Amino acid sequence: MFVSVSANIAAMRDDRLAGKLIAEMRARTGLTQAELARAAGMTRSVVNAYERGRRQPGVDALARLAEAAGMQLGLARAQASTVDPERAGRILEQVLELAELLPQRRRGRLAYPTVFARS
């Protein structure tokens, strides 16, 4: 079984996201915290702390827990937004028009540093 986690900003702000995921894995497999912890090589108190949001597991710990539950942990990419080329073109035209309206300042000649010749 494959568990997919969508990485959206609202979910990333949720301190209990990992705990919810672990609880969901346990619910799907019917394992107790102690059974899951034993299979993952952890203590039950650590799994409990993860589920309650008192501790945050690293990616390695989450992967070990998923594997112990007979699942794989996968991170899903957020869908890329589609760009409307016509709208983007109109915005670019507006930006260029605004740039032309900016006051121009003439600059003097560029002064290059003197190059010293080696003797």
Side-chain angles (χ1 to χ4, degrees):
M1 185 180 291
F2 185 78
V3 178
S4 178
V5 179
S6 178
N8 64 41
I9 294 172
M12 291 177 77
R13 289 184 183 150
D14 185 359
D15 292 340
R16 297 199 46 190
L17 177 63
K20 290 175 185 176
L21 181 62
I22 294 167
E24 183 180 334
M25 287 189 293
R26 282 195 324 100
R28 286 185 183 184
T29 59
L31 294 172
T32 65
Q33 285 182 348
E35 291 168 336
L36 180 62
R38 195 175 311 115
M42 300 178 184
T43 63
R44 187 205 55 79
S45 61
V46 169
V47 173
N48 184 283
Y50 289 158
E51 281 193 27
R52 292 182 178 268
R54 287 181 288 160
R55 289 181 65 178
Q56 293 300 313
V59 175
D60 292 339
L62 270 177
R64 280 190 2 231
L65 288 165
E67 188 176 324
M71 301 178 182
Q72 289 181 331
L73 182 66
L75 298 177
R77 287 185 178 182
Q79 291 182 348
S81 63
T82 57
V83 176
D84 179 11
E86 289 182 25
R87 182 172 181 268
R90 286 193 307 272
I91 292 171
L92 179 59
E93 284 179 6
Q94 291 172 352
V95 168
L96 292 174
E97 287 173 8
L98 288 172
E100 289 177 6
L101 295 174
L102 290 173
Q104 294 183 3
R105 184 175 64 158
R106 288 197 164 260
R107 295 183 180 164
R109 293 186 61 117
L110 292 176
Y112 294 100
T114 307
V115 177
F116 296 100
R118 292 185 178 191
S119 17

